Tab-separated table of all heavy atoms in Angstrom:
chain	number	residue	atom	x	y	z
Y	1	LYS	N	200.040	129.198	73.117
Y	1	LYS	CA	199.964	128.282	74.217
Y	1	LYS	C	200.740	128.958	75.487
Y	1	LYS	O	200.209	128.849	76.661
Y	1	LYS	CB	200.686	127.053	73.890
Y	1	LYS	CG	200.583	125.881	74.953
Y	1	LYS	CD	201.147	124.620	74.421
Y	1	LYS	CE	200.906	123.457	75.396
Y	1	LYS	NZ	201.440	122.185	74.901
Y	2	VAL	N	201.746	129.669	75.303
Y	2	VAL	CA	202.489	130.341	76.406
Y	2	VAL	C	201.544	131.574	76.849
Y	2	VAL	O	201.479	131.601	78.207
Y	2	VAL	CB	203.787	130.945	75.757
Y	2	VAL	CG1	204.332	131.915	76.787
Y	2	VAL	CG2	204.864	129.865	75.591
Y	3	LEU	N	200.865	132.193	76.044
Y	3	LEU	CA	200.004	133.254	76.565
Y	3	LEU	C	198.948	132.589	77.201
Y	3	LEU	O	198.550	133.152	78.301
Y	3	LEU	CB	199.447	134.025	75.255
Y	3	LEU	CG	198.639	135.249	75.463
Y	3	LEU	CD1	199.604	136.278	76.323
Y	3	LEU	CD2	198.109	135.897	74.233
Y	4	ASP	N	198.387	131.529	76.902
Y	4	ASP	CA	197.281	130.775	77.649
Y	4	ASP	C	197.770	130.410	79.075
Y	4	ASP	O	197.059	130.579	80.044
Y	4	ASP	CB	196.912	129.516	76.932
Y	4	ASP	CG	195.618	128.881	77.557
Y	4	ASP	OD1	194.710	129.721	77.903
Y	4	ASP	OD2	195.624	127.667	77.724
Y	5	TYR	N	199.047	129.851	79.102
Y	5	TYR	CA	199.578	129.566	80.417
Y	5	TYR	C	199.767	130.699	81.416
Y	5	TYR	O	199.655	130.579	82.577
Y	5	TYR	CB	200.882	128.804	80.229
Y	5	TYR	CG	200.929	127.338	80.060
Y	5	TYR	CD1	200.618	126.706	78.886
Y	5	TYR	CD2	201.001	126.486	81.157
Y	5	TYR	CE1	200.518	125.381	78.742
Y	5	TYR	CE2	200.989	125.154	81.126
Y	5	TYR	CZ	200.629	124.531	79.837
Y	5	TYR	OH	200.582	123.189	79.786
Y	6	LEU	N	200.030	131.868	80.878
Y	6	LEU	CA	200.225	133.184	81.597
Y	6	LEU	C	199.005	133.491	82.362
Y	6	LEU	O	199.101	134.044	83.474
Y	6	LEU	CB	200.724	134.283	80.833
Y	6	LEU	CG	202.147	134.100	80.326
Y	6	LEU	CD1	202.523	135.301	79.430
Y	6	LEU	CD2	203.175	134.067	81.398
Y	7	ASN	N	197.844	133.213	81.708
Y	7	ASN	CA	196.511	133.552	82.345
Y	7	ASN	C	196.443	134.966	82.890
Y	7	ASN	O	196.160	135.231	83.968
Y	7	ASN	CB	196.285	132.541	83.610
Y	7	ASN	CG	194.874	132.659	84.014
Y	7	ASN	OD1	193.933	132.955	83.147
Y	7	ASN	ND2	194.541	132.312	85.246
Y	8	ILE	N	196.838	135.873	81.927
Y	8	ILE	CA	196.847	137.313	82.372
Y	8	ILE	C	195.600	138.086	82.082
Y	8	ILE	O	194.679	137.626	81.242
Y	8	ILE	CB	198.030	138.044	81.642
Y	8	ILE	CG1	197.856	138.011	80.020
Y	8	ILE	CG2	199.408	137.574	81.995
Y	8	ILE	CD1	198.772	138.893	79.372
Y	9	ASP	N	195.404	139.232	82.739
Y	9	ASP	CA	194.242	140.109	82.583
Y	9	ASP	C	194.653	140.937	81.492
Y	9	ASP	O	195.458	141.914	81.686
Y	9	ASP	CB	193.991	140.830	83.852
Y	9	ASP	CG	192.849	141.824	83.647
Y	9	ASP	OD1	192.052	141.705	82.731
Y	9	ASP	OD2	192.730	142.606	84.637
Y	10	THR	N	194.022	140.914	80.173
Y	10	THR	CA	194.421	141.682	79.047
Y	10	THR	C	193.885	143.125	79.140
Y	10	THR	O	194.292	143.924	78.285
Y	10	THR	CB	193.876	141.105	77.783
Y	10	THR	OG1	192.495	140.827	77.882
Y	10	THR	CG2	194.618	139.769	77.490
Y	11	GLU	N	193.178	143.409	80.186
Y	11	GLU	CA	192.691	144.755	80.489
Y	11	GLU	C	193.674	145.598	81.028
Y	11	GLU	O	193.770	146.911	80.895
Y	11	GLU	CB	191.411	144.800	81.356
Y	11	GLU	CG	190.262	144.028	80.834
Y	11	GLU	CD	189.731	144.658	79.651
Y	11	GLU	OE1	189.611	145.799	79.526
Y	11	GLU	OE2	189.309	143.839	78.610
Y	12	ARG	N	194.857	145.103	81.535
Y	12	ARG	CA	195.882	145.929	82.323
Y	12	ARG	C	196.841	146.610	81.329
Y	12	ARG	O	197.390	147.672	81.721
Y	12	ARG	CB	196.723	144.939	83.174
Y	12	ARG	CG	195.989	144.582	84.518
Y	12	ARG	CD	196.755	143.801	85.446
Y	12	ARG	NE	198.236	143.853	85.290
Y	12	ARG	CZ	199.100	143.011	85.684
Y	12	ARG	NH1	198.673	141.855	86.232
Y	12	ARG	NH2	200.343	143.126	85.590
Y	13	GLY	N	197.017	146.022	80.137
Y	13	GLY	CA	197.924	146.680	79.252
Y	13	GLY	C	197.937	146.024	77.837
Y	13	GLY	O	197.029	145.199	77.611
Y	14	SER	N	198.731	146.477	77.045
Y	14	SER	CA	198.731	145.965	75.653
Y	14	SER	C	199.489	144.571	75.592
Y	14	SER	O	200.424	144.433	76.287
Y	14	SER	CB	199.447	146.925	74.714
Y	14	SER	OG	198.756	148.178	74.703
Y	15	VAL	N	198.963	143.738	74.737
Y	15	VAL	CA	199.498	142.374	74.584
Y	15	VAL	C	199.823	142.096	73.080
Y	15	VAL	O	198.869	142.350	72.213
Y	15	VAL	CB	198.640	141.309	75.172
Y	15	VAL	CG1	199.289	139.923	74.851
Y	15	VAL	CG2	198.384	141.445	76.574
Y	16	ALA	N	201.028	141.822	72.783
Y	16	ALA	CA	201.290	141.459	71.312
Y	16	ALA	C	201.905	140.196	71.127
Y	16	ALA	O	202.855	139.777	72.008
Y	16	ALA	CB	202.283	142.571	70.816
Y	17	VAL	N	201.405	139.331	70.334
Y	17	VAL	CA	201.919	138.030	70.031
Y	17	VAL	C	202.442	138.036	68.504
Y	17	VAL	O	201.549	138.256	67.700
Y	17	VAL	CB	200.927	136.825	70.314
Y	17	VAL	CG1	201.544	135.457	69.895
Y	17	VAL	CG2	200.368	136.818	71.669
Y	18	VAL	N	203.664	137.796	68.426
Y	18	VAL	CA	204.238	137.775	67.003
Y	18	VAL	C	204.610	136.394	66.817
Y	18	VAL	O	205.480	135.850	67.453
Y	18	VAL	CB	205.438	138.810	66.868
Y	18	VAL	CG1	205.930	138.845	65.453
Y	18	VAL	CG2	205.007	140.155	67.407
Y	19	MET	N	204.219	135.770	65.729
Y	19	MET	CA	204.428	134.383	65.451
Y	19	MET	C	205.203	134.241	64.195
Y	19	MET	O	205.208	134.958	63.190
Y	19	MET	CB	203.177	133.611	65.331
Y	19	MET	CG	202.339	133.651	66.604
Y	19	MET	SD	200.889	132.774	66.633
Y	19	MET	CE	201.341	131.123	66.822
Y	20	ASN	N	206.181	133.169	64.143
Y	20	ASN	CA	206.924	132.760	63.115
Y	20	ASN	C	207.866	133.905	62.516
Y	20	ASN	O	207.908	134.118	61.303
Y	20	ASN	CB	206.024	132.254	61.938
Y	20	ASN	CG	205.383	130.909	62.316
Y	20	ASN	OD1	205.964	130.015	62.880
Y	20	ASN	ND2	204.052	130.908	62.070
Y	21	VAL	N	208.603	134.462	63.541
Y	21	VAL	CA	209.502	135.621	63.097
Y	21	VAL	C	210.771	134.969	62.861
Y	21	VAL	O	211.183	133.896	63.460
Y	21	VAL	CB	209.625	136.597	64.335
Y	21	VAL	CG1	210.740	137.552	64.023
Y	21	VAL	CG2	208.232	137.156	64.669
Y	22	ARG	N	211.591	135.475	61.855
Y	22	ARG	CA	212.814	134.808	61.453
Y	22	ARG	C	213.825	135.077	62.730
Y	22	ARG	O	213.856	136.086	63.368
Y	22	ARG	CB	213.400	135.588	60.318
Y	22	ARG	CG	212.941	134.932	58.930
Y	22	ARG	CD	213.669	135.622	57.741
Y	22	ARG	NE	212.441	136.118	56.987
Y	22	ARG	CZ	212.415	137.251	56.460
Y	22	ARG	NH1	213.340	138.178	56.688
Y	22	ARG	NH2	211.340	137.707	55.869
Y	23	SER	N	214.519	134.018	62.929
Y	23	SER	CA	215.580	134.063	64.095
Y	23	SER	C	216.872	133.377	63.421
Y	23	SER	O	216.876	132.386	62.761
Y	23	SER	CB	214.983	133.222	65.191
Y	23	SER	OG	216.002	132.933	66.098
Y	24	SER	N	217.975	134.045	63.797
Y	24	SER	CA	219.278	133.451	63.363
Y	24	SER	C	219.634	132.183	64.095
Y	24	SER	O	220.323	131.416	63.718
Y	24	SER	CB	220.406	134.596	63.422
Y	24	SER	OG	220.427	135.023	64.742
Y	25	LYS	N	219.158	132.158	65.386
Y	25	LYS	CA	219.548	131.049	66.262
Y	25	LYS	C	218.590	129.899	65.991
Y	25	LYS	O	219.019	128.733	65.897
Y	25	LYS	CB	219.172	131.495	67.774
Y	25	LYS	CG	220.509	131.843	68.514
Y	25	LYS	CD	220.033	131.996	69.846
Y	25	LYS	CE	221.310	132.475	70.677
Y	25	LYS	NZ	220.841	132.793	72.190
Y	26	HIS	N	217.266	130.033	65.823
Y	26	HIS	CA	216.286	129.021	65.792
Y	26	HIS	C	215.556	128.798	64.456
Y	26	HIS	O	214.816	128.046	64.288
Y	26	HIS	CB	215.265	129.205	66.914
Y	26	HIS	CG	215.917	129.290	68.288
Y	26	HIS	ND1	216.520	128.406	68.947
Y	26	HIS	CD2	215.943	130.425	69.146
Y	26	HIS	CE1	216.913	128.760	70.109
Y	26	HIS	NE2	216.598	130.121	70.181
Y	27	GLY	N	215.901	129.656	63.462
Y	27	GLY	CA	215.208	129.512	62.255
Y	27	GLY	C	213.971	130.431	62.251
Y	27	GLY	O	213.850	131.419	61.562
Y	28	LYS	N	213.007	129.942	63.211
Y	28	LYS	CA	211.740	130.854	63.405
Y	28	LYS	C	211.366	130.688	64.855
Y	28	LYS	O	211.887	129.914	65.590
Y	28	LYS	CB	210.572	130.201	62.544
Y	28	LYS	CG	210.734	130.443	61.165
Y	28	LYS	CD	209.426	130.065	60.415
Y	28	LYS	CE	209.549	130.433	58.934
Y	28	LYS	NZ	208.534	131.210	58.422
Y	29	LYS	N	210.709	131.823	65.322
Y	29	LYS	CA	210.430	131.877	66.701
Y	29	LYS	C	209.205	132.753	66.880
Y	29	LYS	O	208.695	133.379	65.975
Y	29	LYS	CB	211.579	132.532	67.551
Y	29	LYS	CG	211.818	133.937	67.278
Y	29	LYS	CD	212.910	134.567	67.905
Y	29	LYS	CE	213.038	136.115	67.662
Y	29	LYS	NZ	214.111	136.605	68.446
Y	30	ASP	N	208.504	132.673	68.143
Y	30	ASP	CA	207.542	133.486	68.597
Y	30	ASP	C	207.989	134.476	69.607
Y	30	ASP	O	208.969	134.250	70.273
Y	30	ASP	CB	206.305	132.645	69.087
Y	30	ASP	CG	205.568	131.877	67.920
Y	30	ASP	OD1	206.080	131.899	66.775
Y	30	ASP	OD2	204.666	131.167	68.458
């Protein structure tokens, strides 16, 4: 959803979305 709001041109560079990563602060994060 965040990536969608950014409305970026994916041709300009590399884009990586990592989901449900462990986080000591939040439990899980993207």
Side-chain angles (χ1 to χ4, degrees):
K1 189 173 183 180
V2 167
L3 191 61
D4 186 46
Y5 269 84
L6 288 175
N7 196 26
I8 61 168
D9 176 13
T10 55
E11 300 293 320
R12 284 186 21 206
S14 299
V15 176
V17 179
V18 185
M19 300 180 77
N20 295 314
V21 177
R22 275 184 239 132
S23 167
S24 57
K25 263 187 182 177
H26 305 290
K28 290 191 177 226
K29 66 179 180 179
D30 291 357

